[in-house]
Amino acid sequence: MQYAMFIYESAADLAKRNDPQAADSYWGSWSSYIKALSEAGVMVGGNGLQPYQTGTTLRLQNGKRHVQDGPYADSKEQLGGYFILEVADLDAALDWAARCPAAPNGAIELRPVLPPPSGL
Amino acid sequence: MNEDARRPLPLDVAEAADRAARVSYGRLLAYLSARARDVAKAEDALADAFQAALKSWPVAGVPDNPEAWLLTAARRNLDHAARHGKVRAAAAPALAWLQDEIAARGGDGFPDERLKLLFVCAHPAIDPAARAPLMLQTVLGLDAARIASAFLVSPAAMGQRLVRAKTKIRDAGLRFAVPESDELADRLEFVLDAIYAAYGSGWDAIAGADPRQRGLTEEAIWLARLVVGLLPNEPEARGLLALMLYCESRKAARRDADGRFVPLAEQDIGLWSRDMIGEAEAALRAAAGMGRLGRYQLEAAIQSAHAQRGLIGRTPWHGIATLYEGLVRLSPTVGALVGRAAAVAEAEDAAKGLALLADIPAAAVADYQPYWALSGHLLLKLDRSAEAADSFRRAAGLSEDPAVRAFLLEKIFS
């Protein structure tokens, strides 16, 4: 079964990406986690994301285009990346979520991937 | 909620209810379940009795014997359920008897049926994944949300698992009885396995192995003490108690002042708990005197050997390797195989340990963190540093404990 793992990182963790003191251990944690996922045959795909300030949002409202910079959501945790995992069940997905480097300070959300509608 | 309910309870009432819940919950529930032969209904009846107590005690005062009061109230609730056909018909005579029994004893003490409840929770007909959670909920009164978190299961799924198990107990008519002596040892193994499942694992002989404990160590040790108390002549129960106490005795030594991970070989033995080691030694000695060796006694003996460093200043690795040899023969789990490789590497040489690791099937260790931690150490000893870094990275990626992860990553960068 496939699960999407959404990784909400704390502001303090995200700041480590560019902190010369902390960057090595930050990226080391992530590369080892990704290695463990891949070599256990669990990883289907995924990406880390640039900070939310780099995002751009589009809405079509009443035929009008609205493009905005951001979002600039004011929240302690930010979506820092996502993985798609192939595992037996939710228990197995939770077991991997507990090992995620963002888990001690952030939050990990798991959602089953929606299968394609039948007939397609 | 009305004003009354929100007002804090008088201290003595809250305390009495709390004490009754902590000390007696499991005893009351075991007693009621054994009579009703229905754990879920007994739980409901007892929960309602506690609710009634919180309403009645502040007004009428705390009864002289709170347990008897709760038992009578719960029994009344069960009667009510029985009249409305909510308890299986077969239980009706037992309920009637229960009423007589309470009357006869005048509520003065009632038999301890928790052992029977433990055997029902760990019955072979119950889903193995539900056994430990069921024990924690029924015997200790732990709430389902906490149990779900400890076992890394969604609260909804854990709720379903517990309900299914209780339905099975009722519908299959599982006997609330201590098994006959010819099958006692086999059935006890299921009970002990479930208690150890609540503990997680305590192995820390491999530097940087993440034990991934569940935060239920006190509860697991409490349950093991209960079984030892109720079945004093079963050596494996004492073995399990000793095993967990040895592992727990080193808890304070596993972190330095800055919260960094400290591997076993570098731990300050002054931080080991002498009380726990003493209790563990006594339990293991008593078990050995019974002349029936088993898996938990062997595992406890291995931990006892590690505790020797506190006395003789070194770790008897040859002895530990021999004990692992016995354990692998008795119970060849991945944990035992990796533990043996670690012990052989220390007692003889790293290459031999590595060869033992290579014999373990790859599929069994794809997500088994201690294997990769040990592999890293042995490769490093053999000056194969690139491969060692690879193993340490994999071990770090499989770690849940951030302090262990940091310890392993430092091995790569240093």
Side-chain angles (χ1 to χ4, degrees):
Chain A
M1 222 179 139
Q2 291 195 352
Y3 284 85
M5 177 192 274
F6 298 105
I7 295 148
Y8 297 93
E9 293 186 79
S10 67
D13 276 0
L14 281 168
K16 289 179 188 165
R17 290 182 177 184
N18 300 312
D19 174 355
Q21 298 290 318
D24 271 0
S25 77
Y26 176 88
W27 293 113
S29 296
W30 281 106
S31 71
S32 58
Y33 183 58
I34 291 164
K35 178 184 173 68
L37 284 169
S38 308
E39 294 187 8
V42 167
M43 173 78 91
V44 176
N47 284 106
L49 299 173
Q50 302 258 7
Y52 62 94
Q53 299 92 322
T54 61
T56 309
T57 307
L58 166 104
R59 287 185 184 82
L60 291 182
Q61 287 169 332
N62 304 322
K64 267 196 171 160
R65 297 164 171 181
H66 293 272
V67 176
Q68 286 177 305
D69 293 324
Y72 293 105
D74 187 23
S75 147
K76 279 192 197 134
E77 288 157 0
Q78 301 288 343
L79 183 63
Y82 66 94
F83 294 121
I84 307 292
L85 308 183
E86 175 73 54
V87 288
D89 50 30
L90 179 61
D91 290 8
L94 279 165
D95 198 41
W96 281 106
R99 295 156 156 162
C100 180
N105 302 316
I108 314 298
E109 180 186 346
L110 292 164
R111 288 233 220 138
V113 168
L114 194 63
S118 54
L120 283 184
Chain B
M1 198 181 272
N2 60 32
E3 282 300 314
D4 277 353
R6 230 180 297 147
R7 198 178 302 147
L9 289 168
L11 202 59
D12 57 331
V13 171
E15 235 173 66
D18 214 44
R19 197 176 323 117
R22 210 173 36 235
V23 178
S24 323
Y25 181 85
R27 287 194 60 190
L28 289 164
L29 185 68
Y31 186 73
L32 292 163
S33 307
R35 296 300 181 276
R37 298 170 73 181
D38 185 331
V39 176
K41 281 288 165 314
E43 279 177 333
D44 290 347
L46 192 55
D48 289 348
F50 271 103
Q51 279 300 316
L54 291 180
K55 264 196 211 127
S56 151
W57 295 359
V59 182
V62 178
D64 291 339
N65 187 339
E67 281 189 357
W69 192 99
L70 288 164
L71 198 56
T72 306
R75 192 264 305 155
R76 215 179 291 128
N77 295 337
L78 273 173
D79 271 356
H80 184 77
R83 268 201 304 280
H84 291 76
K86 286 178 186 156
V87 175
R88 45 183 261 141
L95 282 177
W97 184 61
L98 173 62
Q99 191 170 359
D100 296 342
E101 200 171 55
I102 294 171
R105 290 173 178 272
D108 231 14
F110 55 98
D112 190 345
E113 310 274 39
R114 285 177 294 182
L115 194 56
K116 295 177 184 173
L117 183 57
L118 285 170
F119 276 105
V120 166
C121 291
H123 194 282
I126 301 293
D127 169 15
R131 291 174 194 166
L134 201 53
M135 277 181 188
L136 292 163
Q137 192 184 43
T138 58
V139 180
L140 286 172
L142 236 58
D143 72 275
R146 173 146 178 243
I147 298 172
S149 297
F151 284 87
L152 281 178
V153 170
S154 87
M158 182 55 85
Q160 280 172 8
R161 210 170 276 176
L162 287 164
V163 166
R164 262 200 307 272
K166 288 171 206 165
T167 307
K168 177 90 182 188
I169 290 171
R170 185 194 62 204
D171 292 351
L174 296 190
R175 268 185 347 122
F176 281 77
V178 176
E180 302 294 325
S181 55
D182 58 332
E183 57 164 4
L184 182 63
D186 284 346
R187 288 281 309 280
L188 181 61
E189 204 179 313
F190 294 123
V191 173
L192 300 180
D193 288 352
I195 294 174
Y196 195 42
Y199 184 75
S201 90
W203 294 13
D204 58 359
I206 297 162
D210 187 353
R212 305 201 72 198
Q213 291 195 333
R214 304 187 193 282
L216 294 172
T217 47
E218 267 175 55
E219 286 80 0
I221 289 173
W222 193 94
L223 284 171
R225 283 207 184 102
L226 177 67
V227 176
V228 167
L230 295 170
L231 284 175
N233 297 320
E234 288 305 315
E236 276 293 88
R238 289 180 194 264
L240 173 62
L241 177 60
L243 167 63
M244 295 191 293
L245 286 170
Y246 278 124
C247 296
E248 226 23 45
S249 73
R250 301 196 284 263
K251 188 178 173 186
R254 275 186 205 121
R255 290 281 192 279
D256 69 10
D258 299 321
R260 278 193 300 260
F261 173 78
V262 182
L264 177 55
E266 290 161 30
Q267 281 171 19
D268 174 0
I269 55 175
L271 294 174
W272 292 356
S273 161
R274 274 168 222 281
D275 287 351
M276 283 195 205
I277 293 177
E279 191 187 348
E281 292 291 345
L284 186 57
R285 212 172 316 126
M290 295 172 196
R292 277 182 287 145
L293 193 60
R295 173 201 158 187
Y296 288 115
Q297 291 169 76
L298 272 172
E299 289 196 40
I302 289 166
Q303 297 306 327
S304 167
H306 281 296
Q308 289 277 304
R309 184 162 73 82
L311 298 170
I312 59 173
R314 58 177 186 83
T315 305
W317 283 110
H318 282 280
I320 292 175
T322 309
L323 288 167
Y324 266 115
E325 207 50 60
L327 183 62
V328 163
R329 239 170 264 161
L330 210 60
S331 164
T333 60
V334 178
L337 292 168
V338 172
R340 177 178 64 170
V344 167
E346 292 284 349
E348 298 181 39
D349 61 81
K352 273 197 182 141
L354 201 58
L356 284 171
L357 277 189
D359 285 344
I360 305 175
V365 297
D367 59 1
Y368 190 66
Q369 192 264 2
Y371 175 96
W372 298 102
L374 178 61
S375 159
H377 289 298
L378 299 185
L379 288 163
L380 201 59
K381 266 192 191 158
L382 296 167
D383 285 328
R384 293 158 64 177
S385 51
E387 293 162 272
D390 222 40
S391 287
F392 280 132
R393 206 168 276 131
R394 185 116 178 233
L398 290 167
S399 301
E400 175 174 340
D401 182 340
V404 168
R405 185 187 300 126
F407 171 83
L408 291 163
L409 288 173
E410 271 170 34
K411 296 264 165 210
I412 305 170
F413 294 123
S414 60

